[in-house]
Amino acid sequence: LEPMLDFIEQSAKELGFDAKKLNQVRLASEEALVNVINYAYPEKRGNIEIICDTQEKRLFLEIIDWGISFNPLLLPDPDVKSPVEKRKIGGLGIYLVRSIMDRVDYRHDENRNILTLIKY
């Protein structure tokens, strides 16, 4: 996980992101990657491909896996206003990713899950 996060953070540094944006990108990336690691390949090891593009003053990040097809953007937003003990488990990670990043997209193409994260 750390080498993947370091790679993403280095790409964001190339854009001149300040410490706050670097931390946001790292946190959102970690949430997305941990979900892939934990759920895309439940009974075997698998691959993750990361593509970073730093053109046009934005970080364009694609996280690609060949695991179980799953669109995390279809999950409803968690009820963050309810007391913690009354909340359903799960869903906070992708909520956090959507809150931090400027744009989040998902597509399934040629047996690949492709999660796109964009930060300006």
Side-chain angles (χ1 to χ4, degrees), residues 30-84:
E30 182 174 2
E31 288 294 335
L33 288 166
V34 166
N35 279 343
V36 172
I37 291 166
N38 287 333
Y39 302 113
Y41 304 103
E43 297 183 20
K44 61 181 180 177
R45 295 181 80 156
N47 295 316
I48 300 173
E49 180 179 347
I50 299 171
I51 298 172
C52 288
D53 183 357
T54 57
Q55 295 178 7
E56 300 174 13
K57 298 184 181 181
R58 54 104 172 110
L59 176 69
F60 175 89
L61 171 65
E62 283 190 332
I63 299 173
I64 303 165
D65 72 78
W66 291 261
I68 295 171
S69 177
F70 176 68
N71 182 349
L73 302 182
L74 294 178
L75 293 173
D77 285 344
D79 181 5
V80 295
K81 295 181 180 181
S82 293
V84 174

Side-chain angles (χ1 to χ4, degrees), residues 63-118:
I63 299 173
I64 303 165
D65 72 78
W66 291 261
I68 295 171
S69 177
F70 176 68
N71 182 349
L73 302 182
L74 294 178
L75 293 173
D77 285 344
D79 181 5
V80 295
K81 295 181 180 181
S82 293
V84 174
E85 60 274 0
K86 292 189 178 186
R87 293 182 196 172
K88 292 182 179 180
I89 295 175
L92 280 176
I94 194 63
Y95 174 78
L96 184 66
V97 171
R98 287 190 284 198
S99 298
I100 289 174
M101 301 303 284
D102 293 308
R103 183 171 168 187
V104 180
D105 294 311
Y106 169 86
R107 71 183 190 277
H108 190 262
D109 183 39
E110 298 180 12
N111 295 320
R112 301 178 302 164
N113 293 298
I114 305 168
L115 185 65
T116 304
L117 309 176
I118 299 174

Side-chain angles (χ1 to χ4, degrees), residues 1-2 5 25-35:
L1 181 60
E2 287 302 314
L5 294 173
V25 167
R26 189 172 182 98
L27 179 59
S29 300
E30 182 174 2
E31 288 294 335
L33 288 166
V34 166
N35 279 343

